[in-house]
Amino acid sequence: MEVEIKVRRFNGEKSYWQKYRVPVLSGMTVLDALLYIKENIDATLSFRYSCRMGVCGSCAVKINNKPRLACETQILQLKDVQIEPINNFRVIKDLITDFDDFFAKHRIVKPYLIRKNDSYEKPVEMIQTPKQLKKYYRYSLCIKCGACNSVCPVSSTRDDYLGPAIMTTVYRFMTDNRDEGKDERFKIVSSERGVWRCHFASECSEVCPKNVEPAKAVQKLRIKSIIYEIKKFFK
Amino acid sequence: MLVDWFRIKGRSLHSLAFSFHRLTGIVLMIYLILHLTYLTSLRFGKESYEYLISLTVRPETLPFDLLLLLATVFHGVNGIRLVIHELGFVYEKRNLILYLTFGIVLIVWLYAGYLMFLLIMG
Ligand code: SF4
Ligand code: FES
């Protein structure tokens, strides 16, 4: 069986649609189809991927107007196949978008455990109960695919807005009992590029391929920020 | 880009609600300016105010009034929904609450529209 695949291409100057006919088999993903095109029809087609199994987050593209992981989308489950780069990211070539700013924002919020007295000479085991783990586990599943940021209407109009993925990362560390960097992170998420910008369109949660629920993380972070601001006021 | 506020293709009903909320917010702001203009006209006497009212409160403008009413009801009810969620409540039930919001808006709008119809058409 053959399927027609429409791909939005960009050559650095102009953007245009290109159609390809690809023989498909059951079990074939959109990423497999793109690889087929690249290897057999058009070697100039550019796209990003790495793990091929929904772990690295590199292959997020817009499939039939919805951001999805190309490696996790079965082609036979779609009627027509239309592939575009995700929104809110600058397109570099064809389906490849620029993630530099996205990762730079991640670095700003310090996406790692901050410990005040960490000793590498005498390391201490940081024991955690299943209950403590459960608090942030879901949010630690984020694979940084950018799908949530690509549908966020605030991210589309404000470049400085941190966006749902980054704030989910913040929430993940804020709720980890081993972390001691709350004050540093509050300063960032409670600033005008943080939680107050969110207007709860909640589309981020609708498209997240890992069901991380970024919209929930942002709202929870908002409550924490309100408490933080009140406490700061009375200090 | 600003058009992204109104992007609904391939998106869920939540994005539709967001777009409507923005749109109705803009409409209400324009209405507020007009409303304040009307009230300010009172400073120039009762006649100028009544003249302005006679321009807009009549059967021909009823469809616009109904649309304005829809914008007001939607913005208000959806606003309450947003405040509830933004304070971290009932997030898991967000789909149900969204349907409820649309339902409440429709009922309130139809009823208020009926009253408005009676008022203007006599
Ligand atoms: S929260 Fe979900 S959609 Fe957003 S980057 Fe992480 S995995 Fe992707
Ligand atoms: S290739 Fe890694 S998530 Fe798709």
Side-chain angles (χ1 to χ4, degrees):
Chain A
M1 181 187 172
E2 266 199 359
V3 165
E4 187 179 85
I5 297 182
K6 245 173 104 184
V7 183
R8 186 86 187 161
R9 303 204 56 187
F10 178 66
N11 59 13
E13 281 169 11
K14 70 174 182 34
S15 180
Y16 58 98
W17 287 104
Q18 190 156 351
K19 289 180 185 165
Y20 301 97
R21 289 204 72 79
V22 176
V24 293
L25 299 167
S26 138
M28 200 166 164
T29 65
V30 169
L31 180 62
D32 292 331
L34 288 171
L35 285 164
Y36 180 89
I37 297 170
K38 188 152 182 93
E39 282 160 14
N40 301 287
I41 309 172
D42 183 351
T44 67
L45 181 66
S46 303
F47 49 93
R48 188 160 41 208
Y49 71 101
S50 181
C51 70
R52 304 184 190 207
M53 51 194 229
V55 173
C56 71
S58 320
C59 67
V61 283
K62 223 162 77 178
I63 301 169
N64 297 349
N65 292 308
K66 211 173 165 172
R68 305 173 84 164
L69 296 179
C71 69
E72 284 202 326
T73 308
Q74 289 291 315
I75 211 152
L76 285 175
Q77 280 175 2
L78 308 168
K79 260 202 197 129
D80 311 301
V81 191
Q82 183 179 299
I83 312 170
E84 296 165 82
I86 51 174
N87 294 113
N88 297 348
F89 289 88
R90 185 180 68 85
V91 181
I92 299 171
K93 186 171 186 297
D94 299 339
L95 302 173
I96 300 178
T97 47
D98 185 355
F99 266 50
D100 280 359
D101 183 55
F102 182 72
F103 289 126
K105 282 177 181 159
H106 263 99
R107 277 194 290 276
I108 293 173
V109 298
K110 309 185 181 188
Y112 41 81
L113 285 181
I114 299 175
R115 302 280 302 170
K116 290 197 176 113
N117 299 309
D118 237 357
S119 162
Y120 284 94
E121 286 74 43
K122 285 187 195 152
V124 185
E125 192 180 358
M126 289 186 277
I127 296 169
Q128 202 164 47
T129 64
K131 203 173 157 203
Q132 287 166 330
L133 172 73
K134 204 171 164 233
K135 273 192 177 170
Y136 68 85
Y137 177 68
R138 174 186 277 254
Y139 308 103
S140 69
L141 299 177
C142 171
I143 56 170
K144 319 283 181 275
C145 67
C148 52
N149 275 39
S150 78
V151 293
C152 172
V154 182
S155 296
S156 70
T157 45
R158 284 196 68 117
D159 288 341
D160 62 340
Y161 177 53
L162 292 172
I166 283 92
M167 284 199 279
T168 302
T169 305
V170 176
Y171 186 70
R172 177 251 172 274
F173 284 101
M174 293 275 226
T175 42
D176 190 323
N177 65 303
R178 299 165 300 176
D179 185 69
E180 293 171 340
K182 289 188 181 52
D183 280 347
E184 289 176 48
R185 296 204 185 89
F186 267 133
K187 276 187 201 131
I188 304 160
V189 293
S190 192
S191 70
E192 63 171 55
R193 61 191 313 200
V195 286
W196 316 116
R197 290 273 161 222
C198 171
H199 296 292
F200 198 73
S202 75
E203 193 66 30
C204 51
S205 286
E206 300 296 320
V207 300
C208 175
K210 295 286 150 187
N211 289 324
V212 172
E213 302 283 17
K216 185 176 182 179
V218 179
Q219 307 326 308
K220 295 252 180 201
L221 205 52
R222 192 197 304 263
I223 298 293
K224 280 180 179 285
S225 299
I226 291 174
I227 296 168
Y228 165 78
E229 289 295 334
I230 293 173
K231 277 188 184 162
K232 203 171 89 181
F233 184 77
F234 286 106
K235 246 184 199 171
Chain B
M1 278 198 302
L2 226 56
V3 286
D4 288 307
W5 286 354
F6 306 105
R7 199 185 281 273
I8 48 172
K9 212 169 165 197
R11 304 247 170 122
S12 70
L13 271 182
H14 291 272
S15 277
L16 188 73
F18 173 86
S19 302
F20 268 178
H21 202 76
R22 288 268 135 151
L23 193 70
T24 52
I26 296 166
V27 168
L28 289 177
M29 193 155 90
I30 296 169
Y31 170 71
L32 185 71
I33 295 168
L34 280 175
H35 181 64
L36 292 175
T37 313
Y38 270 49
L39 291 183
T40 312
S41 74
L42 274 172
R43 304 191 72 179
F44 304 102
K46 198 172 158 228
E47 294 72 32
S48 43
Y49 177 75
E50 274 172 357
Y51 170 70
L52 285 176
I53 286 288
S54 70
L55 285 182
T56 46
V57 183
R58 51 197 172 112
E60 294 82 359
T61 57
L62 184 62
F64 296 109
D65 285 328
L66 291 176
L67 284 178
L68 182 64
L69 183 66
L70 178 62
T72 313
V73 175
F74 179 81
H75 204 82
V77 179
N78 192 49
I80 295 170
R81 175 184 75 90
L82 292 177
V83 171
I84 293 171
H85 286 315
E86 288 183 358
L87 289 176
F89 298 116
V90 285
Y91 172 86
E92 272 72 22
K93 297 266 176 289
R94 67 189 193 283
N95 286 338
L96 176 71
I97 290 179
L98 185 66
Y99 300 141
L100 264 177
T101 302
F102 283 133
I104 293 171
V105 169
L106 195 69
I107 293 167
V108 175
W109 178 55
L110 287 176
Y111 182 64
Y114 170 68
L115 293 182
M116 192 178 247
F117 179 82
L118 291 183
L119 185 84
I120 293 180
M121 305 303 273

